[in-house]
Amino acid sequence: MDPFRDPALPTAERVADLLSRMTLSEKIGQLNQRLLGWHTWQRREDGFALTDGLDKEIEATGGIGAVYGLLRSDAWSGRDWRTGAGPEESAELTAMVQERIVGRSRLGIPALFAEEAPHGHQALGGQLLPTNIGVAATWRPQLLEEAAAQVATELRARGTHLALVSGLDILRDPRWGRSEECFGEDPLLASAFTRALVNGLQSVPGVGAVLKHFAAQGAGIGGRNGSGAPIGPRELAEIHLPAARAGIEAGAVGVMAAYNDIDGVPCVANADLLGRILRQDWGFGGLVMADMGAIDRLTLTGDHRVAAALALSAGVDLSLCDRAYTELADALAASMISEELIDRACARVLTVKIDLGLLDPPQPAPSFPAPSRLDDLIADTAVLISNDGTLPLLDGDCGRLAVIGPNADDLDALLGDYVPPLPEGTGTTVLTGLRDRFGADRVAYAPGCLLTRSIPGGIDRAVELARAANRVVLVIGSSGQRHYEDSFADNGAADLTGQPVTATTGEGFDVADLELPEPQRDLVAAVAATGTPVIAVIISGRPLSLDFVADRCAAVLSCWYPGPDGGRAVAALLAGDREPAGRLPVSLPRSSGTLPVAYNERVESVSRYIDSETGTRFGFGAGLGYATWSLGPARRTVDGLTAELTNTSNRSGRQVVQLYGRARVAGIQPRRAVLLGFSTAELGARQSATVTVPVRPDALTGLGSPTDGVVDLWLSLTGADDQPDVIAVAAIDVAAIDVAGAGG
Amino acid sequence: MDPFRDPALPTAERVADLLSRMTLSEKIGQLNQRLLGWHTWQRREDGFALTDGLDKEIEATGGIGAVYGLLRSDAWSGRDWRTGAGPEESAELTAMVQERIVGRSRLGIPALFAEEAPHGHQALGGQLLPTNIGVAATWRPQLLEEAAAQVATELRARGTHLALVSGLDILRDPRWGRSEECFGEDPLLASAFTRALVNGLQSVPGVGAVLKHFAAQGAGIGGRNGSGAPIGPRELAEIHLPAARAGIEAGAVGVMAAYNDIDGVPCVANADLLGRILRQDWGFGGLVMADMGAIDRLTLTGDHRVAAALALSAGVDLSLCDRAYTELADALAASMISEELIDRACARVLTVKIDLGLLDPPQPAPSFPAPSRLDDLIADTAVLISNDGTLPLLDGDCGRLAVIGPNADDLDALLGDYVPPLPEGTGTTVLTGLRDRFGADRVAYAPGCLLTRSIPGGIDRAVELARAANRVVLVIGSSGQRHYEDSFADNGAADLTGQPVTATTGEGFDVADLELPEPQRDLVAAVAATGTPVIAVIISGRPLSLDFVADRCAAVLSCWYPGPDGGRAVAALLAGDREPAGRLPVSLPRSSGTLPVAYNERVESVSRYIDSETGTRFGFGAGLGYATWSLGPARRTVDGLTAELTNTSNRSGRQVVQLYGRARVAGIQPRRAVLLGFSTAELGARQSATVTVPVRPDALTGLGSPTDGVVDLWLSLTGADDQPDVIAVAAIDVAAIDVAGAGG
């Protein structure tokens, strides 16, 4: 057996052996991932057939490093239940493509198969998760870890190796259409979920997580997709890098270098980011993949060799749909790069292949897993941001319900971006969920309006229903639905040029105005004016300004994009079958004009705009339940704070105890507050428990890595903004935290 | 004669001699500027009398380094024409205060007298200039240089030494209340005006310019005054530092360290900014003054010694109203600083005193200069942003005018922030200007509404006038008017807590919404609906979103804050007596939600928000005249571009030829365009001239200081955004520019 095929040998030895046998052309082939996978095959009456494109690409590049999106099914790929590969057929298809690639490779090197899985797998029958922003609202990383393991089992069963997953983008500007892909605005919270995501996905041997996007895409100006992030090293380190570092410490096999520049230097050409920080400081040995076409964007003078040389030198190992990396041989011939740089990148690609078992003798793939309900994960994404007592809708006395709104009976609106078409007959809209829970005869329905357009007579009909009902459930917000007839840019982002907009969130759907669109505001105002208590259910991947809604409605439940089973969860929450347990992972802005509003911006001296309050009304960490709580005085422990938590109500409930700090370090403008740790607790009626929240050592980055000075610590049940609810302030030495951190 | 008093000796020798004679306490006294000058004296029946406060401060600090605002007259100081020092009395007052300070100083060291002069001198009878944003709209730095020399003559005549002048803040977020203090959004334009300002002010011996604010206050997040600027070194260097560097190269005696932090480090504690960049890289030998109370804001733990040590170590020489610098002796005793640091700062203060002649034998002060009309400067600030041909209002056929709007007859609204009360009977409102120009019998007037509130029946009356008129002149916008009964923060910024807002711009008047306030929008809509052609005259220090106005009005003239004689200038422009020659020094945003919008942000791939265009409708460099122009093909010269400019109209006119570039440097995301130079030309009817615009060598910073790559160059008459109007694109070597620059 060739040494590179010997599973008993260390990976490095196998890689070195394989590399030594490869030609330059074969090495360069490993750095290319140019095919959109769905173009490599067709579905025929009698099964799958490979297209010419696959063979041509193998020949053109001297072998293929990776194939992107073989199973991707969505409006962009055009694959649907008629033309795509169903869950049970995926393994056959991937094996067929791999067989061809291996067969055409002189050394028999297989390709990595990479698929989008930002919140579940974007393939037919893929397990879908709530979008990240909702997942973060649970404050329960363990739930994500379990769900991610489920997704990984599915990927493994299909023959997919790399899951491209969101998690590193920190949500600092909710105008951004990709807000839903972020684990909120806080680096510690995002780190916890990124760690869980990696742990879950990579708990299945043979599956690797590629974390996107590295780095600071959430700092793009204007909330415009991929715009530049002119931030400094401290802002980068404190806000935008911790989640990446957490994911890498958890063992992620790869990161995806982002489109944006950081202070002028595009991430794919950023040696400081990909070299000094990622490799040297963090010791990352894995794979850096470029975002789609990002290397070609470096080409300013028409010379793709320059772009290739820049990206390779900076540390991009694997390109994605770029022309540039096909010109690496020319760049080498022109002495723009050395062959050592090609070897370095190739070794990293081969390392991942060997670590994921691609060069080992084939193992039997696990069978396709049954879909999981994920009830806890879905339900706990919902954040009850206001409630005058109208919720829960107790069976006995809530009477007739009018279910109104453009998102009330729209299954697609529950899903978010990057999703496949659902299997026929699956999923539950909010309307269906409420009918199932309360009885169809008690539930009337009218859409009222579309997302961004009115319906002739729609409001009149809605008002009529509202008047006749005892309670209104108004399901409004956003949608990321794509249509198969939509246009798309080269990288799959929606191309909005010249087509009517139906969706309002997702990649390519940035907005200037964070209010609900006018037709929805009109609907809210008209329905609320009837006097029937209105419960607003917000379905949206973007943190909207909800002041207008909260001013007019009895209760507001923010549900993000809960996924296809969201309707059932919403019904259970409104009925009080479950406790709303989510807490905001992002501050809801009052308006675009008050951005930025993250709770952990630095202390400012200005108290207001002349035409608006600054800050937020619904801030980071806020959220109500049906149970009521008290928290005793906080006490210092060796590594954090502890206090007595009491459920003072007659129902059991779940609570998130949040530990915040504020550094007082000479010469650094303090952040208003920094989340340093959190614990969740579930307590029965009238129960008490001692809750200890350790300061996470990695959270010290968010305090500006103080080496002297003091840190104020406090616990909160109501979020970062509520000074009146500060429970305890303890001034302690940072050195003491450091000690605690080392053991934490 | 003591050597330090010998004008024949070099400054450094005199400083060293004086320093060697001083006690620690005396040295520390020189670093303090704690008194608000207007508190040191009172006006009595029989003349001026000094207060106890002055003596106490001299004793407390061991001598006084500087006194701020001795002559400041405004709502904050409370000084007015009844209680303040008139222009002809100022010299007597300053001499009286100086005599006391010198008399109480063991070594007879006088104090520096510093006064606010952000756009003219904030003292009774002070010469007022248009605010900086309007001055920049002239694109004629020479006009500012002349006006600044006039201001300096006045300062010298009063006995003032230091003019605190705005200029370094680059306008990147128009929500900021201090937008008017910026020379626009562009570093090259701001540099040209800062240079002119320093040259003008310091053309008068004995007067020094202190440039504020250093640095990057214009990058503060959210347009919130003094908020943090989390930017990186490249953004700092390319956008926010060039104006400071230009001012320092012109010889400015001082800079004021700003309130904001840069990437977390407050400017007054920022050794990288005040040490490495300012002193080492730029070789600045002058004075660093802190903004008011900024050093005390460093105190996070109650220990002012720490704050003092931080600021002194970073390089702040002179404090302004801080407690911290009174504790320098304690900081020294605690070994937080060395005495060398105190000596270093003291030497810098003494250097300025000696350089400005404070220790020389007294010279006769010049007599108080007659006020200057500054007609060209004032008129050329106005930018005609749209015109359907309604302008100019030719005498013969414009008929009856209805002059409408809250700013039509408000003299204070023309002034901006940081102004003294005007002398009785001076100034010309727009209404008065139009009556004078067109005849009172042809001009009717109604306010229509207040700035932010409606007037009962106001719109009805305005509509009535509009219907009866042939043309409407609608004078709307903003105001910076302060009232003597207003409240103020410790640093003189308006304190908005609990008081009704009347002003809408100036320090402390940040806004979330860049639209005109609703009452003004209602007025615009109602008046425009009459069908009578409406000419909108915008009086505002802030770049507002003017799309709403431009959609409804026949012409829009943006006049910024032109100063007390603005009404006359507006009338002359509307009548066509003068050519509107201003060009926008800042991009007008479509809305807050589309920020940031500066023309020289980096290239982005996104083309629009789903609910708004990105970019601007009225962009940087745009502006119309009454004459029409053509520009021939551009040709490369040794140091820039040249082209034939023709006035194709039958009237003489003025034009600004703008030279833009875009760098194509491998690995740096290009800015969309960068202003590299500009020339103004005045041509008679049907005249042609060859215009040459050199690339300014300092402009290369804005291109990312390319050391390789190419730069595209083009000329434009219509601003940075208009690609269809690009005249020529020449790809040239950067090396060639460098050569040219060295000689330019």
Side-chain angles (χ1 to χ4, degrees), chain B residues 103-141:
Chain B
R104 295 289 183 100
S105 165
R106 183 177 64 89
L107 294 162
I109 307 174
L112 287 162
F113 293 148
E115 296 286 353
E116 297 288 355
H119 58 113
H121 187 191
Q122 195 178 17
L124 297 176
Q127 172 81 54
L128 294 186
L129 277 51
T131 49
N132 280 355
I133 192 170
V135 170
T138 68
W139 294 62
R140 299 175 70 186

Side-chain angles (χ1 to χ4, degrees), chain A residues 16 26 83 113 161 173 192 332 341 430 447 476-477 496 568 572 578 596 606 664 669 671-672 692 717:
Chain A
E26 286 168 346
T83 61
F113 292 150
H161 311 107
D173 193 326
L332 178 65
L341 283 180
V430 175
I476 50 182
L496 303 179
R568 191 171 56 208
R578 281 193 72 109
V606 163
R664 291 193 267 148
Q669 185 71 359
R671 294 186 183 277
R672 290 192 283 256
T692 298
L717 299 180

Side-chain angles (χ1 to χ4, degrees), chain A residues 175 221-222 224-225 227 230-235 261 263-266 269 297 300-301 306 310 496 501 503-504 508-513 591-596 601-602 604-612 614 664-670 710, chain B residues 175 221-222 224-225 227 230-235 261 263-266 269 297 300-301 306 310 496-497 501 503-504 508-513 591-596 601-602 604-606 608-612 614 664-670 710:
Chain A
R175 289 176 289 181
I221 60 170
R224 301 190 286 262
N225 192 35
S227 60
I231 59 172
R234 187 179 302 268
E235 182 77 2
D261 68 80
D263 199 19
V265 182
R297 291 190 189 181
L300 302 177
T301 58
V306 175
L310 269 170
L496 303 179
V501 173
T504 52
F509 290 82
D510 311 320
V511 296
D513 188 347
S591 69
S592 292
T594 64
L595 295 174
E601 296 287 359
R602 296 185 193 279
E604 298 173 16
S605 56
V606 163
S607 57
R608 54 173 299 215
Y609 293 101
I610 62 170
D611 55 351
S612 171
T614 55
R664 291 193 267 148
V665 179
I668 304 290
Q669 185 71 359
V710 293
Chain B
R175 290 176 288 180
I221 60 171
R224 301 190 285 263
N225 193 35
S227 60
I231 59 172
R234 186 180 303 270
E235 182 78 1
D261 68 79
D263 200 20
V265 182
R297 290 190 189 182
L300 301 177
T301 57
V306 175
L310 270 170
L496 303 178
T497 318
V501 172
T504 52
F509 289 83
D510 312 319
V511 297
D513 188 347
S591 69
S592 292
T594 65
L595 295 175
E601 296 287 357
R602 297 183 191 281
E604 298 175 14
S605 55
V606 164
R608 54 172 299 213
Y609 294 101
I610 62 170
D611 55 351
S612 170
T614 54
R664 292 193 268 149
V665 179
I668 303 290
Q669 185 72 358
V710 293

Side-chain angles (χ1 to χ4, degrees), chain B residues 700-726:
Chain B
L700 292 175
T701 305
L703 292 175
S705 304
T707 53
D708 59 3
V710 293
V711 178
D712 298 329
L713 301 178
W714 67 94
L715 296 177
S716 172
L717 300 180
T718 51
D721 288 344
D722 286 337
Q723 287 301 318
D725 292 292
V726 164

Side-chain angles (χ1 to χ4, degrees), chain B residues 77-295:
Chain B
S77 67
R79 298 288 179 181
D80 58 21
W81 284 92
R82 193 177 53 79
T83 61
E88 308 290 349
E89 305 166 317
S90 303
E92 174 197 339
L93 176 62
T94 54
M96 184 175 176
V97 174
Q98 191 69 288
E99 189 184 342
R100 177 69 62 93
I101 291 170
V102 171
R104 295 289 183 100
S105 165
R106 183 177 64 89
L107 294 162
I109 307 174
L112 287 162
F113 293 148
E115 296 286 353
E116 297 288 355
H119 58 113
H121 187 191
Q122 195 178 17
L124 297 176
Q127 172 81 54
L128 294 186
L129 277 51
T131 49
N132 280 355
I133 192 170
V135 170
T138 68
W139 294 62
R140 299 175 70 186
Q142 183 61 34
L143 295 178
L144 176 62
E145 186 169 334
E146 291 158 14
Q150 166 84 7
V151 170
T153 305
E154 176 197 318
L155 292 167
R156 176 75 177 139
R158 296 187 197 248
T160 300
H161 311 107
L162 296 180
L164 309 184
V165 289
S166 303
L168 308 191
D169 301 330
I170 306 299
L171 177 42
R172 306 300 279 193
D173 193 326
R175 290 176 288 180
W176 193 25
R178 304 186 79 168
S179 292
E180 67 198 56
E181 296 185 45
C182 307
F183 290 123
E185 74 190 18
D186 181 75
L188 183 82
L189 194 63
S191 298
F193 281 96
T194 299
R195 194 181 297 115
L197 182 60
V198 173
N199 287 340
L201 284 170
Q202 298 194 170
S203 68
V204 175
V207 174
V210 176
L211 302 174
K212 57 189 194 177
H213 304 89
F214 191 65
Q217 191 162 238
I221 60 171
R224 301 190 285 263
N225 193 35
S227 60
I231 59 172
R234 186 180 303 270
E235 182 78 1
L236 180 68
E238 293 180 8
I239 301 295
H240 298 280
L241 294 183
R245 183 162 197 176
I248 281 163
E249 287 177 356
V253 305
V255 297
M256 179 180 279
Y259 284 123
N260 58 284
D261 68 79
I262 299 176
D263 200 20
V265 182
C267 288
V268 292
N270 201 319
D272 189 58
L273 181 72
L274 304 180
R276 182 182 63 82
I277 293 173
L278 180 67
R279 302 286 184 185
Q280 286 174 40
D281 292 357
W282 299 355
F284 180 61
L287 181 73
V288 174
M289 182 190 296
D291 206 340
M292 193 171 281
I295 302 175

